[in-house]
Amino acid sequence: MIPDLGKYAGPVLSAYGVAIVLLVGLVVVSIWRARKVKAALEWIEGKRNG
Amino acid sequence: MIALLIRDLRLAVRAGGGFGLGLAFFLIVIVLVPFGVGPEAAVLTRIAPGILWVAALLAALLSLDRIFALDFEDGSLALLATSPLPLEGVALVKALAHWITTGLPLTLAAPVLGFLLNLDGPAYPWLLASLALGTPALSMIGAFGAALTVGLRRGGLLLSLLVLPLYVPTLIFGAEVVRRGAEGMPVTTPLLMLAGITVGGFALLPFAAAAALRVNLR
Amino acid sequence: MIALLIRDLRLAVRAGGGFGLGLAFFLIVIVLVPFGVGPEAAVLTRIAPGILWVAALLAALLSLDRIFALDFEDGSLALLATSPLPLEGVALVKALAHWITTGLPLTLAAPVLGFLLNLDGPAYPWLLASLALGTPALSMIGAFGAALTVGLRRGGLLLSLLVLPLYVPTLIFGAEVVRRGAEGMPVTTPLLMLAGITVGGFALLPFAAAAALRVNLR
Amino acid sequence: MLTVTDLACARGGVPVLSGVSFAVPAGGVLILRGPNGVGKTTLLRTLAGLQPALSGTVDFPEDQGAYASHADGVKATLTVTENLTFWAQVHGSRMPDDILATFDLETLRDRMAGTLSAGQKRRLGLARLGVIGRKVLFLDEPTVSLDAFSVRLFADFLRDRHLAQGGLAVIATHIDLGIDAPELDLTPFKAGPQTTGGSDEAFL
Amino acid sequence: MLTVTDLACARGGVPVLSGVSFAVPAGGVLILRGPNGVGKTTLLRTLAGLQPALSGTVDFPEDQGAYASHADGVKATLTVTENLTFWAQVHGSRMPDDILATFDLETLRDRMAGTLSAGQKRRLGLARLGVIGRKVLFLDEPTVSLDAFSVRLFADFLRDRHLAQGGLAVIATHIDLGIDAPELDLTPFKAGPQTTGGSDEAFL
Amino acid sequence: MSIWEYANPKKFMGWTAPLVPWLFGLAGACLIVGLVWGFFLTPDDYKQGSTVKIIYLHVPSALMAINAWFMMLIASLIWLVRRHHVSALAAKAAAPVGVVMTLIALFTGAVWGQPMWGTWWAWDPRLTSFLILFLFYLGYIALWAAIEDPDTAADLTSVLCIVGSVFAVLSRYAVNFWNQGLHQGASLSMDKADHVANVFYIPLLVCIAGFVLLFIALVLLRTRTEIRVRRMSALIARTRPTEVTT
Ligand code: HEM
Ligand SMILES: Nc1ncnc2c1ncn2[C@@H]1O[C@H](COP(=O)(O)OP(=O)(O)OP(=O)(O)O)[C@@H](O)[C@H]1O
Ligand SMILES: Nc1ncnc2c1ncn2[C@@H]1O[C@H](COP(=O)(O)OP(=O)(O)OP(=O)(O)O)[C@@H](O)[C@H]1O
Ligand SMILES: [Mg+2]
Ligand SMILES: [Mg+2]
């Protein structure tokens, strides 16, 4: 499946690997924090109104 | 404004005022480098212009947080802000005082320290010229950074982080002047650029610094 | 003592506490040197071990005045001195906290910055080892210097002046380890010396620092 | 003449006081009262223009305001005289000859300010007010650390020199200054949770 | 039990007080009086062992002294509770459950100390005294910036908790604390120019 | 209704809510298509071999790293002139995204440089000015983190962003100048994009689109989070001092 990368397999794969890890990491962290903050805010709003 | 300048200079030379310590730091960095790099003369000659400029920059940097922090802590800055002096003028005067207590002695001492690093003979006048032209810019840019971080307790290192990238152009042109001077190449272009940065900085940055001070005094 | 350590670490990571800024300074010095010295890879490779160690030393140095000064100013230090904790323990813990917030991150980041200076391949493990062994000594020696200057307002630069000569042996052996590592020479002797300085420093300097603190609190 | 109309002010982005209105005539004093944390410091800083008001107006002759708090800009490594001369020069005024006597600082005139005791340093900070020639003073706990004698010195200065020359003052204090002046208790003006105008208002 | 015998003390190398003698029994308070600059701060620092005496002796149970002044070691970036817990841990004591209530800090418990008003911060500084479990307190103007209500809180704490448990205190202040205690005016003990013992004595 | 109405935090929360998932979906689709296409279905370059595949990550991330700073500059100006909280918070939200983009560009460039130039890092003008950009990002983020009051932080970081931009341009020029004087330069040229054949070009465009969309989605999401944080602290502040938790 993986195309033959020849002698440059190392650089190419590590570039893809690190870039994807960084991107996915950023997305995951952003979403995780968004969820956390949203929950905390809803809790506070609920307490204020209820 | 003259009164402010005189006061700042007087404070600097009084006990604990820090006069001469920038110079000492400059000296010590220059002395440490051969310990780290090793004593070979050829290598030292090669890196001398760069190291001298980097050391001058670090020495200027280390005393930046004095520019406003002390006056902020004891309330003087708030009082100055409500005084008839324009805050832009205050920023300008304080940068000037910083230069007189740091940049100027550093410039005068640099040729002596050049010997320690085996700097090439023809480079000495250019070392002096580039530092004399460039260190005022370091003080003014630094005053801007100090104004940004004045509200933070011990903003010292944050200040370094903010200011150092702003120092890059000055450093490049300054070191380039000395290097070209050492190799007998023409130095006009980098020297002009250096002058441009200094003039531009003194024309514009006092306004940015005053704006930052106003925000921090709020 | 654990409580003190935890408090110091907590203060460091809170706003304005300065965690990570030592690291940033390290990074920036390493970046600045090529701007000054010029971009030639061969020259950079040659001076990389020395510059890396000098930069690490300067980064440690800049955050030294936080070790005691803040606690002195707000009176905490006087209160700690009259508390059941021995002042020697306080000095030790504070040096430790300084190392955890400065020396440790610096050590971990150094290999990455080695790239920027074109450090030779075989030198990397030795760079790590020498910094891991040497930076604790920098923190402990620095804590002693900070204890000496704690009573002075903005003793920052004076502190540098006092501490830098004390750093010279650590610097020489540390840079030597890396340089020998880069050239494939045996590194045991300088490594042992480095370890000796660290162990000796931690055994003796807390007492000196505590004595200095007592004098300054008077 | 100081006129404050429907002022609201905030600390750390949170409204602290609202609906404060008062007027102080030339030659008058207003004493601010209120328990710790009610917002005296905040109000004085707002009046002096050191922080923006949330709403409402503060009106007094331009360039006549002066603020003084614990941090009174005294430099430890300047002498008493040097400290005062500096502020006089900054304000373009001359230092009155008798100001040192007024605050009983004559014997201390050549001492470094850093070697003064707490009360002596405070007197120096107050003496600055007599030097800068400003008419509208905003004073935050001016008599902290002063002994009874020095409090009287201060009251005399205020009455006989400042107010007599048409100045006015707003003073926050917890003690009795020995000045006959109207008092304003800030407790009723405490901002409720609904006060509008906070910098975070857009987020509510 | 605190006994002071013929004490002389100096500030900046200059003798300030001499011949001070007094004793405070367990459960007792001594209030130091005297005009600004007479040497109250100097005396308290000497008693607490923060600076050496020129001559004379200070005697109280070891490891029982605690000194408190304006600078009360409150960290701006720690919360009120974190500040107090830290000092409790350092002294190996437990934080009493009601100490926050005693100083009316309950609603502020999770606030960063840096965001407190002057008086609130002062209350926090005083609460520290209730946490460290020391018996012999040396307090330098403890009620600066406090309103009348908070001064009473402090007096109650001192009387009902500290003194009642056998503690004692020496307090320098310019105001009336509402505590019934003997006072000592330091004016008569002012060191004359002949007082011996200054660090520069060898040069006279 | 003026266009600025959309910058009111409440309105902003309203109209961005349905947008975010779509943007993430679209960005993900573009990225998967572009990267899979580029990685599996394009031939190797005759000169660079398979390393040419790195272009699909390197170029879009380098583009976005610069554009993120540009966006922050504009948002900062809007904040200083019109004082719309959302623009300040958007600038704050974009900075970490920009850093990650810069890191990706730096890293992919470095591993590409090893086979192409024989070195991980060279002090070439382009690389150098990127490193400086990275430092500006770090300083900007550190300043945000260091200041407690959010409005003060917004003001000061905005001023920093503007002054920093001027100096970034200046350094770019300075670095150019510096390297011409000293460096052989030729081996570092990166003008290959002009010659990139269509086989490489189209997937590259898809990847760029993916990065742009991802950037927008992330900034919106993070801005929403920042708004919520502000709202939270506003609510907590208003309930003071009767009860405070969390
Ligand atoms: C750490 C190393 C590197 C960094 C920081 C870096 C940075 C950059 C930057 C800032 C751009 C400009 C993006 C734009 O504005 O269009 C760029 C584009 C590009 N880079 Fe790199 N680069 C690095 C290494 C490399 C290497 C080793 C190669 C290949 C030999 C390479 C090939 C390219 C190409 C083909 C482009 C797009 C063409 C263009 O815009 O002219 N880069 N890179
Ligand atoms: N940074 C901040 N964030 C939130 N609240 C704050 C901040 N700073 C102060 N406050 C609160 O604002 C209120 C007003 O404080 P202020 O200092 O004006 O009070 P004050 O009347 O001067 O009190 P004191 O008599 O104790 O000096 C206090 O309740 C204080 O806790
Ligand atoms: N470094 C110094 N050098 C010389 N004299 C000093 C120094 N520091 C303080 N003094 C003097 O020592 C005397 C005692 O000061 P101290 O601070 O003990 O007074 P105090 O009674 O606490 O006054 P206050 O009520 O104003 O706080 C003062 O007259 C002061 O001017
Ligand atoms: Mg107050
Ligand atoms: Mg005193």
Side-chain angles (χ1 to χ4, degrees), chain B residues 110-128:
Chain B
V112 181
L113 297 182
F115 280 118
L116 290 183
L117 293 183
N118 243 328
L119 185 67
D120 263 344
Y124 285 93
W126 298 118
L127 178 64
L128 257 177

Side-chain angles (χ1 to χ4, degrees), chain C residues 59-83:
Chain C
L61 191 78
L62 277 192
S63 42
L64 286 185
D65 66 341
R66 288 167 166 274
I67 297 184
F68 294 116
L70 292 176
D71 276 346
F72 180 80
E73 278 163 24
D74 69 10
S76 301
L77 202 59
L79 299 178
L80 282 172
T82 51
S83 83

Side-chain angles (χ1 to χ4, degrees), chain C residues 1-5 7-8 10-11 14-16 70-85 214 216-218, chain E residues 45 48-52 63 65-68 70-79 82-83 86-87 89-92 112 128 134:
Chain C
M1 307 251 278
I2 307 284
L4 184 60
L5 184 64
R7 181 193 77 143
D8 271 19
R10 188 181 272 159
L11 282 172
R14 290 274 161 92
L70 292 176
D71 276 346
F72 180 80
E73 278 163 24
D74 69 10
S76 301
L77 202 59
L79 299 178
L80 282 172
T82 51
S83 83
L85 294 186
R214 277 197 198 94
N216 271 321
L217 281 172
R218 211 145 66 188
Chain E
R45 287 177 53 88
L50 287 173
Q51 57 177 70
D63 276 346
Y67 171 74
H70 297 253
D72 35 24
V74 168
K75 287 288 168 194
T77 51
L78 294 182
T79 65
E82 283 169 347
N83 265 301
F86 168 67
W87 287 112
Q89 286 169 341
V90 163
H91 285 265
M112 292 286 164
R128 190 184 65 86
R134 289 279 166 109

